[in-house]
Amino acid sequence: CGSGLADAVAWLLRTRLLASSGRLKRLDEVPDHPLCDRLVTIDGMPAFRLAEGVELTQLDLRALQNAKGAIAAGVQILLAKAGLKAEQLDEILLAGSFGSYIDPASARALGLVPPIDLERVIAAGNSSLEGAKMALLSFREQQLGNGLAMRIEYVELSGRADFTPAFTDSLAFPVPGTVT
């Protein structure tokens, strides 16, 4: 699952078996590491054995890294568009199944969310379902939702000239110990 993958990759970063570039270390690079026996090669590519028959491959890591880069680039662009810095945010809501189960510390360690206090990173659960129930059951909440919808601006990220540079800049994982 995605939240388990995020936890595993954050752990690999902390144990320094994964470079901030997203490259998994090879056995010959860390022969004395206590977990070096879990570094394996699959089809000529490095991988980390989580359990017998369950390996985290370099391709898995790159897929997560690309998703993380896109999310982080989107956050960066939206913050700039709003004229805000990450530290000015009151909270970050992680919605949906992934947001409900991901450890906020892992999300921050990967750079999925900006480096803010973990108390301000909140799992919101299935927010679309909750919002729909609130609107159906309460005229007041429906009115509040309508007012909010009038103030929201849709921002298409894929066609923006600043998305690709922001994405490229966001691909690296934070260096362990630099995010507090």
Side-chain angles (χ1 to χ4, degrees), residues 143-156:
Q143 294 302 99
L144 286 170
N146 288 337
L148 183 61
M150 300 303 287
R151 296 190 335 252
I152 291 175
E153 176 187 347
Y154 174 76
V155 179
E156 177 60 50

Side-chain angles (χ1 to χ4, degrees), residues 55-152:
E55 289 85 18
L56 185 56
T57 68
Q58 186 66 64
L59 291 176
D60 297 328
L61 295 167
R62 292 294 183 212
L64 176 69
Q65 190 174 17
N66 283 326
K68 171 266 201 232
I71 292 167
V75 169
Q76 179 184 330
I77 289 169
L78 293 174
L79 283 171
K81 186 161 180 52
L84 296 171
K85 296 191 181 311
E87 54 271 8
Q88 293 175 285
L89 297 174
D90 293 332
E91 61 188 11
I92 294 175
L93 301 175
L94 302 175
S97 294
F98 182 67
S100 294
Y101 295 105
I102 190 169
D103 179 356
S106 294
R108 190 176 68 178
L110 297 178
L112 277 169
V113 298
I116 66 168
D117 295 332
L118 289 176
E119 298 79 37
R120 295 190 289 162
V121 181
I122 299 164
N126 189 343
S127 55
S128 59
L129 179 61
E130 287 303 310
K133 284 195 284 190
M134 289 167 62
L136 287 172
L137 297 174
S138 168
F139 180 74
R140 180 181 170 277
E141 294 296 332
Q142 187 179 67
Q143 294 302 99
L144 286 170
N146 288 337
L148 183 61
M150 300 303 287
R151 296 190 335 252
I152 291 175

